Amino acid sequence: MKTAILIPARIESRRFPRKMLSMLGDETLIQRVYRKCEETGIPTFVLTDSLEIVDHMPKAKAFLTEDAENGTDRCCWYVNNVFQSYDRIINVQGDMPDITPEIINKVHDQLIRGAQVATIYAKMPKEKREVPSVVKVIHNGNKARWFGRGFTRYGDHHLGIYGYTADILSQYRKLTKYPEENIEKLEQLRWLQNDIDISMDEVSFDGIEINTPHDYLLWKNNNGMKDGDK
């Protein structure tokens, strides 16, 4: 059984255009996430709509995709057209500069134990409960029950990393898309609303996901960089 890590990286993010090429010290956001993923020893590839990002990455490690509505959709297209030799796929969102091999392996372990779709959560600090860009998950400790941005004061922090069997991921584009997915702008709801279980496991995480320019400045400040620094 072979596993690959895929990092979807769209150049024109709605909330923070060109964030993948924003500098975090001496490397860009996408370079940092790629490096962290490679530390697992699992083959890692970037999927993007941008030649600029392809040219920015190591040779044969980044690929152009056709248009995709979200990161899972981009991974689905590539599994069906390119990565057919892999049995398991781990999708790491490109906005997670504080991802660690340990977190990725928590997802991988769930796939090894037989999950079709897997993800992770961390306990949520009180100050993040009111922030719409922070995704919350309701779960029973083993399986996800719902994901949302708007509800507050309960739920745990859902982190942007998923695992799938290649077979289940190949079906994503055929599944029914319900209105709530558009309302919440959360691609993972498609699995739940088509009666596909999402396995859950807990990790420790005190990092920042860079969704907005504010997140970017906060990350730099937390890492001892001033606004004008790279």
Side-chain angles (χ1 to χ4, degrees):
M1 301 286 280
K2 295 174 62 179
T3 304
I5 296 173
L6 304 182
I7 309 173
R10 187 162 61 97
I11 191 71
E12 291 299 335
S13 169
R14 179 177 57 85
R15 289 177 290 174
F16 188 2
R18 298 182 63 80
K19 71 178 179 181
M20 291 298 160
L21 299 177
S22 59
M23 295 302 299
L24 302 178
D26 60 358
E27 60 189 347
T28 60
L29 172 57
I30 188 59
Q31 285 175 327
R32 180 182 172 91
V33 175
Y34 174 83
R35 174 173 59 81
K36 293 279 191 175
C37 290
E38 274 221 314
E39 289 174 5
T40 63
I42 298 172
T44 300
F45 306 93
V46 173
L47 308 182
T48 183
D49 58 353
S50 165
L51 271 174
E52 190 174 0
I53 290 178
V54 170
D55 292 341
H56 186 67
M57 303 306 298
K59 187 175 181 180
K61 291 296 186 176
F63 300 93
L64 279 176
T65 71
E66 67 173 26
D67 289 341
E69 58 181 313
N70 57 52
T72 303
D73 185 54
R74 200 174 297 278
C75 291
C76 173
W77 185 87
Y78 244 68
V79 162
N80 287 335
N81 291 277
V82 178
F83 285 100
Q84 291 149 338
S85 62
Y86 292 98
D87 307 288
R88 296 181 289 244
I89 300 296
I90 299 174
N91 169 1
V92 177
Q93 293 187 359
D95 55 13
M96 295 194 67
D98 297 318
I99 192 70
T100 66
E102 292 76 19
I103 290 175
I104 294 170
N105 286 332
K106 277 275 192 174
V107 174
H108 195 201
D109 289 346
Q110 293 178 75
L111 295 178
I112 292 171
R113 293 195 298 265
Q116 287 187 302
V117 182
T119 190
I120 49 171
Y121 68 92
K123 296 301 182 186
M124 185 179 295
K126 185 178 294 185
E127 63 271 15
K128 289 187 176 181
R129 291 193 177 276
E130 309 292 331
V131 180
S133 64
V134 176
V135 179
K136 296 88 176 171
V137 58
I138 307 302
H139 61 90
N140 64 4
N142 297 309
K143 294 180 181 178
R145 295 308 185 194
W146 194 253
F147 299 85
R149 298 178 187 276
F151 55 81
T152 58
R153 300 186 182 89
Y154 65 97
D156 286 314
H157 182 188
H158 176 239
L159 303 181
I161 172 172
Y162 307 93
Y164 328 94
T165 63
D167 286 343
I168 199 71
L169 179 58
S170 70
Q171 300 173 31
Y172 185 78
R173 287 187 161 192
K174 301 175 185 177
L175 299 176
T176 302
K177 183 179 181 180
Y178 290 90
E180 291 80 7
E181 181 181 338
N182 284 330
I183 292 169
E184 294 286 359
K185 300 207 168 25
L186 294 176
E187 63 213 64
Q188 62 269 37
L189 289 176
R190 195 175 308 184
W191 301 115
L192 292 183
Q193 292 188 289
N194 284 272
D195 298 321
I196 296 169
D197 287 339
I198 301 179
S199 174
M200 300 289 297
D201 205 350
E202 183 177 359
V203 298
S204 296
F205 182 75
D206 60 359
I208 294 173
E209 296 170 76
I210 298 181
N211 296 300
T212 65
H214 173 76
D215 297 333
Y216 173 55
L217 294 177
L218 184 60
W219 189 94
K220 291 209 298 184
N221 181 67
N222 287 357
N223 286 272
M225 301 176 192
K226 296 179 181 178
D227 189 10
D229 295 341
K230 288 185 176 181

